[in-house]
């Protein structure tokens, strides 16, 4: 009998939302049960088996010294380490603090900010350890997780889509909300993976799956201005969900208010 691959799921600084797609696999997990052993998954079971692990899926960003210590330990125990979700890939929504004075952020959020320990920044895993795979999304798509596991079982390199949300919209025969309603939809510059969820309900894409491959952000920013958005509104679109993705961050900086502009 072929030995099962040993899989672990870890959480760092995050909302835990990227662990839920594992639980939502349901019947698919039963199909994989003959080939996969879930050795460590605190959200699903209190039974934790020690490493080493064949594959570790890690959600959450790195935002404190304890996170750094833990992710290095996970890396040492794991053959294939996969960052799942935008917190693990880019630092997550909490990376909004990266460009602000940390003391001011803590004082604005917590009644006793002096008790808060942490780094002034939130970053993705790859800033601290080598990462073998990246699955974007907020949350990550369960189909992408399943495909990744199956690829490992088959000994193949996982394929990650480089398409944009625009293509998913076309495949669903959605009416383009930019053309029809003048909505500044980020689907033209965002990676596919959500199935064009928001545009399917006549809402603009929020960019949850991060920048698509080689996005033309200058053209999208110009489109936003033509649709009536102010410079501040343009930069806020890039800083909404995936603010620390390099491409979004650099484009947002072009439209950030200058000192004295408010």
């Amino acid at each position: 009998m072929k030995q099962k691959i040993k899989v672990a799921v870890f959480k760092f600084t995050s909302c835990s939302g990227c662990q839920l797609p594992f639980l939502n696999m349901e019947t698919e997990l039963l199909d994989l049960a003959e080939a996969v052993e879930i050795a460590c998954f605190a959200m699903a079971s209190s039974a934790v088996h020690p490493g080493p692990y064949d594959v570790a899926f890690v959600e959450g960003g790195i935002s404190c010294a304890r996170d750094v210590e833990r992710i290095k330990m996970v890396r040492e125990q794991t053959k294939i380490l996969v960052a799942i979700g935008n917190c693990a890939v880019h630092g997550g929504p909490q990376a909004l603090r990266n460009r602000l004075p940390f003391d001011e952020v803590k004082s604005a959020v917590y009644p006793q900010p002096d008790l808060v320990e942490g780094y002034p920044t939130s970053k993705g895993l790859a800033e601290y350890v080598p990462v073998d795979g990246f699955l974007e999304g907020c949350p990550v798509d369960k189909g992408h997780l399943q495909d990744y596991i199956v690829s490992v079982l088959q000994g193949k390199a996982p394929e990650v889509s480089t398409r944009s949300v625009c293509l998913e919209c076309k495949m669903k025969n959605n009416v383009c909300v930019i053309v029809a309603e003048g909505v500044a939809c980020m689907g033209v510059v965002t990676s596919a993976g959500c199935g064009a969820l928001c545009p399917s309900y006549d809402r603009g894409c929020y960019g949850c799956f991060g920048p698509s491959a080689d996005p033309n952000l200058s053209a999208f920013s110009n489109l936003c201005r033509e649709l009536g958005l102010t410079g501040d509104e343009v930069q806020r679109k890039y800083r909404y969900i995936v603010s620390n993705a390099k491409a979004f961050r650099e484009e947002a900086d072009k439209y950030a208010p200058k000192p004295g502009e408010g």
Side-chain angles (χ1 to χ4, degrees), residues 200-218:
S200 296
Y201 289 92
D202 295 328
R203 303 182 67 176
C205 167
Y206 292 98
C208 300
F209 275 67
S212 57
D214 195 25
N216 191 340
L217 297 178
S218 294

Side-chain angles (χ1 to χ4, degrees), residues 1-21:
M1 181 176 178
K2 190 173 181 179
Q3 187 173 7
K4 294 181 179 181
I5 64 168
K6 201 170 176 181
V7 173
V9 182
F10 294 98
K11 165 188 159 56
F12 285 72
T13 303
S14 61
C15 71
S16 302
C18 286
Q19 296 178 79
L20 292 178

